[in-house]
Amino acid sequence: MMLLKGKDLLSLADFGQDDIYQILAKATELKRLHRLGKNVRLLEGKSVALIFEKPSTRTRVSFEAGISQLGANPIVLHGRDLQLGRGEAIDDTGRVLSRYVDAIVVRTFKQGDLENLAEAASVPVINGLTDDFHPCQALADLLTILEKKDRLAGLKLAYIGDGNNVCHSLMLGASHVGLNISIATPSGYEPKEFVIKKAKNMLRNFNHKITVANNPKEALLKADIVYTDVWTSMGQEAETEERKKIFAPYQVNSEILSLAKPDALIMHCLPAHRGEEITDDVTKSPNCVMFDQAENRMHAQKALLALLIGD
Ligand code: CP
Ligand code: NVA
């Protein structure tokens, strides 16, 4: 088993299958203790900086609350308030913050900027979402699936919509745990080729599949889990109207859901745009677990931090 201590999480390709299961087990334990009102102060006296160059509700609050529950001090920094916003180099920001804190969480645009910061930082760096990946979301999603279905390997997850950061991280996460994933996006909006290659490469030890195509009905057939995300991600706002037209056949609604298994979990990383990628009635279905996913962000991230920087 690889030791997680001191590692970065820039994408789920940084971790191995054992690491993922170790995080999920730790998250389950910390969640149970939290619900009993017995948070363990595993990170007493430590500090974690959180840099946000894009808006956030869940990532910010789940990290901030979780870090406090672990006895550590969260320091939330908005890009515009940092010298970074006035042109200070991102690698210098990483070097400087490493002198003060024990880990750095970063939400930014380019994966390359995150990689540069991580290269320069001497403390673990965690991706809190980039244009390419959202690994903390995928960890919470795997935890949610495991809780609801009691297993991961062999299930079929249909991802319908944009081949974006959330889709990319689900692909890598799915490869680690042997979850089959069928992706349906409009033509031209498929996941990036380098992620498809990486995910397929990581699948080599499993007899499981990743398919990328354009027909939502085929992808949904007998799915155990149906996942969608916004059609317009942060930073793509200029394309909103065009995307609404292109993505309309990819809406997760009750008609299309009849192709999935009747007990299929419906998942969304949130924020949701009801009436676009998902209908209001579907979000209200008892099978929809999007708020459990949101809750599990906190438990999964607490586990991650405890394993990366705990003593
Ligand atoms: N799912 C997610 O990352 O939400 P926020 O953008 O609110 O952090
Ligand atoms: N794909 C979305 C996820 C938001 C949590 C975005 O990047 O805006």
Side-chain angles (χ1 to χ4, degrees), residues 74-148:
I75 302 169
V76 175
L77 305 156
H78 296 284
R80 61 178 182 275
D81 302 330
L82 292 168
Q83 293 291 2
L84 190 60
R86 295 183 57 250
E88 182 168 16
I90 195 147
D91 50 343
D92 280 351
T93 305
R95 284 184 193 100
V96 171
L97 291 181
S98 298
R99 304 279 178 119
Y100 308 132
V101 301
D102 299 282
I104 307 169
V105 179
V106 185
R107 169 168 287 196
T108 189
F109 292 85
K110 294 191 190 121
Q111 183 75 9
D113 285 346
L114 174 78
E115 287 166 3
N116 289 342
L117 184 145
E119 180 69 33
S122 56
V123 298
V125 173
I126 297 171
N127 182 346
L129 180 147
T130 60
D131 292 347
D132 284 345
F133 294 109
H134 197 3
C136 294
Q137 182 67 51
L139 289 173
D141 296 339
L142 293 179
L143 178 63
T144 309
I145 298 169
L146 190 60
E147 285 176 350
K148 305 286 176 191

Side-chain angles (χ1 to χ4, degrees), residues 58 129 134-145 156-171 174 179-185 216 219-220 223-231 247 250-253 256-257 260 264-272 277-278 282 287-294 297:
R58 280 144 290 269
L129 180 147
H134 197 3
C136 294
Q137 182 67 51
L139 289 173
D141 296 339
L142 293 179
L143 178 63
T144 309
I145 298 169
K156 175 181 176 181
L157 184 150
Y159 179 94
I160 311 295
D162 189 18
N164 62 16
N165 43 10
V166 168
C167 176
H168 286 168
S169 286
L170 277 173
M171 290 166 71
L179 194 65
N180 297 305
I181 178 160
S182 292
I183 297 161
T185 73
L220 280 164
D224 298 286
I225 302 140
V226 179
Y227 201 116
T228 191
D229 182 21
V230 291
W231 292 338
F247 281 82
Y250 295 80
Q251 182 186 66
V252 173
N253 54 42
I256 216 169
L257 271 175
L265 294 181
I266 297 149
M267 300 185 73
H268 193 309
C269 62
L270 299 174
E277 75 276 1
I278 194 162
V282 169
N287 292 355
C288 182
V289 296
M290 59 195 194
F291 297 110
D292 299 308
Q293 292 171 256
R297 290 292 303 276

Side-chain angles (χ1 to χ4, degrees), residues 4-276:
L4 279 166
K5 193 162 166 69
K7 290 190 80 172
D8 294 324
L9 174 56
L10 308 186
S11 88
L12 286 179
D14 293 339
F15 287 179
Q17 184 197 18
D18 290 346
D19 300 325
I20 305 283
Y21 279 111
Q22 198 186 355
I23 294 164
L24 298 181
K26 187 84 182 164
T28 303
E29 180 199 340
L30 293 178
K31 181 172 181 177
R32 189 179 62 78
L33 291 170
H34 177 72
R35 290 205 160 169
L36 293 171
K38 292 181 182 165
N39 283 314
V40 202
R41 296 171 73 83
L42 295 171
L43 301 181
E44 189 77 59
K46 300 199 189 270
S47 298
V48 179
L50 301 119
I51 301 177
F52 287 93
E53 295 207 276
K54 290 177 178 176
S56 169
T57 298
R58 280 144 290 269
T59 305
R60 181 196 163 161
V61 180
S62 60
F63 263 112
E64 202 168 345
I67 289 164
S68 302
Q69 288 165 22
L70 290 167
N73 178 34
I75 302 169
V76 175
L77 305 156
H78 296 284
R80 61 178 182 275
D81 302 330
L82 292 168
Q83 293 291 2
L84 190 60
R86 295 183 57 250
E88 182 168 16
I90 195 147
D91 50 343
D92 280 351
T93 305
R95 284 184 193 100
V96 171
L97 291 181
S98 298
R99 304 279 178 119
Y100 308 132
V101 301
D102 299 282
I104 307 169
V105 179
V106 185
R107 169 168 287 196
T108 189
F109 292 85
K110 294 191 190 121
Q111 183 75 9
D113 285 346
L114 174 78
E115 287 166 3
N116 289 342
L117 184 145
E119 180 69 33
S122 56
V123 298
V125 173
I126 297 171
N127 182 346
L129 180 147
T130 60
D131 292 347
D132 284 345
F133 294 109
H134 197 3
C136 294
Q137 182 67 51
L139 289 173
D141 296 339
L142 293 179
L143 178 63
T144 309
I145 298 169
L146 190 60
E147 285 176 350
K148 305 286 176 191
K149 295 279 183 197
D150 258 346
R151 66 189 175 115
L152 295 169
L155 294 173
K156 175 181 176 181
L157 184 150
Y159 179 94
I160 311 295
D162 189 18
N164 62 16
N165 43 10
V166 168
C167 176
H168 286 168
S169 286
L170 277 173
M171 290 166 71
L172 299 185
S175 294
H176 279 307
V177 300
L179 194 65
N180 297 305
I181 178 160
S182 292
I183 297 161
T185 73
S187 173
Y189 295 87
E190 292 89 353
K192 288 187 181 166
E193 201 53 47
F194 84 94
V195 183
I196 300 177
K197 278 205 186 116
K198 211 180 260 277
K200 288 196 169 163
N201 240 354
M202 283 161 51
L203 261 180
R204 63 190 177 279
N205 296 326
F206 288 100
N207 194 18
H208 298 121
K209 277 188 301 197
I210 292 187
T211 60
V212 178
N214 306 114
N215 185 339
K217 292 185 176 160
E218 266 172 30
L220 280 164
L221 214 57
K222 298 209 168 75
D224 298 286
I225 302 140
V226 179
Y227 201 116
T228 191
D229 182 21
V230 291
W231 292 338
T232 302
S233 284
M234 291 179 277
Q236 299 172 333
E237 287 75 10
E239 300 169 28
T240 304
E241 290 311 313
E242 187 192 355
R243 281 173 172 262
K244 273 190 201 169
K245 288 185 207 129
I246 294 170
F247 281 82
Y250 295 80
Q251 182 186 66
V252 173
N253 54 42
S254 47
E255 190 195 327
I256 216 169
L257 271 175
S258 62
L259 294 163
K261 288 190 182 161
D263 64 346
L265 294 181
I266 297 149
M267 300 185 73
H268 193 309
C269 62
L270 299 174
H273 290 197
R274 291 173 175 81
E276 293 181 26

